[in-house]
Amino acid sequence: MIRFGLSLMPEPGFATAAEPLFSEGIVSAVEWSFDMGWGSDPTPAWLDELLDFYCEQGWLLGHGVSYSLLGAAGRHEAWLDRLREEVERRRYRWITEHIGFVGAGRFSFSAPLPMPVADDVIQLGTARLGSLAAAAGVPVGVENLATCLSIRDAHDQGRLVSELLTAVDGIALLDLHNLWCQSVNTGVAVQDLLDAFPLDRVREIHVAGGRPDVGAHSGRTLRRDTHDALVPDEVVYLLTSIAPRCPNLEVVIYERLGTSLDSTEAQDLYRQDVSRLAAVVAALPATAPSPLTTPQTVDLSPIEIPAQLQRTQAELLEGFYTGVDAPTLQQRLDRDDYPLDPDLTAVATELTRTWGRLRA
Amino acid sequence: MKNRPMTMHNPHHPEVDAVTHQLTTPDRGILAKMAAAGLAVAAVAAGATVALAAVEPAAEPSAGHSEVISHPGTEPSETEWPDMPIVDAIKEMMGIDDQDEWSCPPCGLG
């Protein structure tokens, strides 16, 4: 049986919307972005108890947001210290992170941004994933991004996921809305994007909704991963067609921002959509996943930060933030493996201006 | 916790009728707190003077906590500067105290 679950959100709107779904018993796993709960504000009591409940069942999944797996700069050790405390409190079935970097240069945080398949990126990402595995003590993995900056970027992501996971025998988290976003935004068929993706490593799938957008330069249709709408039929189709190709698939998680569930109508539609997806998942062919493995040996030698990568990431965030156009920013990057599409660069600018935070 | 096999019917997807599921149901106490969370916020929004403690334990955070929490792994639907507790969490983890450093960067936004 492939399980179906929800990404937990702390907002009351989510609690109201999701409570009947839990009551009906169709939520057999939950995912929690645990670093959302590391602030001084306490998590709601119901959320803590749900986490404990699913932890006891062995179906609590951890999903980090701010580790910066491919980040050259950052407070990775502090983050890992918090993770050690987190996993001491609750045991997660596995822990995943986004395959990108957040923060660089004068920015301590940003939306996750992609990196190319390159020796320095693979070397750094492998080391960071190893550190994550050692701190977590449970299987770890990575999720494909929605954001891409070029066709090459989207095309190479599957290979990058594969390269990074090999070293830790890790888990691939395949986000189908992210995949569809990349396909729409680059014009590359989903099938081609999946060519190098390690489907045999996929144990978890994400489904979510988003919004259409218009390219700032070309006027072409873009897709944004906003998590504030119903799951589109295209993603349901991808689920039914791709899941059977994932022999180790264990669970499908439905993601929705709690802030978007602030009306009775939105909550009703959410419940209907979740029920629809739960039924679709229930109809998927059963899988026989291989046993989960936690890497026994992880190379924890000091991580060497590639200087060029550090400069590239800082230059990118600075360029996006200040609205530098794609050709100019391309010239500033001293590497030729990071092409920039003008429309997607404009999207990255919007994301960086929204989520970027300055370093102290 | 109750695990029980059950048949699910979905009128939109009749093809999955009669599929057997293993249902997972959290304890009623948790579900009651979830339901109460929304009621408590609705009561505050309506300006009611009800004793919220009656419907929710004291451990429940204030309504202010629940105003806006977004997921930075996703893209916001609006470009306004977000009130983002996860940023506060990261700031706290990093030991950053200077509020000015976390105000809107010099770009004219916000």
Side-chain angles (χ1 to χ4, degrees), chain A residues 224-349:
Chain A
R224 305 286 294 272
D225 184 44
T226 50
H227 289 201
D228 58 358
L230 304 180
V231 173
D233 288 342
E234 288 87 344
V235 169
V236 177
Y237 170 74
L238 290 178
L239 176 62
T240 56
S241 58
I242 295 173
R245 297 168 56 195
C246 304
N248 291 300
L249 178 63
E250 295 189 40
V251 60
V252 175
I253 295 288
Y254 188 115
E255 295 186 297
R256 176 71 182 250
L257 283 180
T259 49
S260 69
L261 296 170
D262 56 357
S263 72
T264 303
E265 182 188 10
Q267 293 168 0
D268 287 344
L269 291 171
Y270 167 76
R271 275 191 294 273
Q272 290 172 24
D273 204 38
V274 169
S275 296
R276 175 177 75 124
L277 264 298
V280 171
V281 170
L284 292 173
T287 56
S290 58
L292 279 169
T293 56
T294 305
Q296 297 300 310
T297 56
V298 176
D299 179 8
L300 290 178
S301 52
I303 296 175
E304 286 186 30
I305 307 299
Q308 188 199 26
L309 192 60
Q310 199 162 355
R311 285 196 302 276
T312 299
Q313 294 179 351
E315 198 75 68
L316 277 170
L317 280 185
E318 197 66 35
F320 291 148
Y321 190 74
T322 54
V324 174
D325 63 79
T328 306
L329 184 53
Q330 184 77 69
Q331 284 180 344
R332 289 185 188 173
L333 302 178
D334 54 351
R335 58 194 305 157
D336 58 9
D337 59 0
Y338 207 82
L340 297 170
D341 173 278
D343 285 325
L344 301 178
T345 297
V347 170
T349 288

Side-chain angles (χ1 to χ4, degrees), chain A residues 19-36:
Chain A
E19 183 272 326
L21 301 167
F22 284 97
S23 185
E24 289 167 19
I26 64 173
V27 184
S28 55
V30 296
E31 182 166 86
W32 171 232
S33 290
F34 45 79
D35 43 4
M36 290 177 76

Side-chain angles (χ1 to χ4, degrees), chain A residues 11-12 16 25 33 39-41 45 49 53 57 65 75 224-225 227-228 279 282-283 321 350-351 353-355 357, chain B residues 1 16 21 23-24 33 38 41 60 65-66 69 71-72 74-77 79 81 84 89 92 94 102 105 107 109:
Chain A
E11 292 83 359
T16 303
S33 290
S40 53
D41 285 339
E49 292 180 32
F53 173 78
Q57 306 307 312
V65 173
R75 296 286 298 266
R224 305 286 294 272
D225 184 44
H227 289 201
D228 58 358
Y321 190 74
E350 187 181 328
L351 288 173
R353 288 178 173 175
T354 304
W355 298 104
R357 289 296 183 274
Chain B
M1 186 288 186
V16 300
H21 298 264
L23 299 188
T24 304
K33 285 176 183 169
V41 171
E60 188 70 10
H65 170 74
S66 65
I69 297 179
H71 190 309
T74 66
E75 300 172 6
S77 52
T79 55
W81 207 251
M84 198 166 57
E92 186 173 298
M94 293 176 173
W102 286 79
C107 66
L109 289 176

Side-chain angles (χ1 to χ4, degrees), chain A residues 21 98 181 197 207 214 270 282 327:
Chain A
L21 301 167
H98 300 82
C181 282
F197 202 92
V207 293
V214 177
Y270 167 76

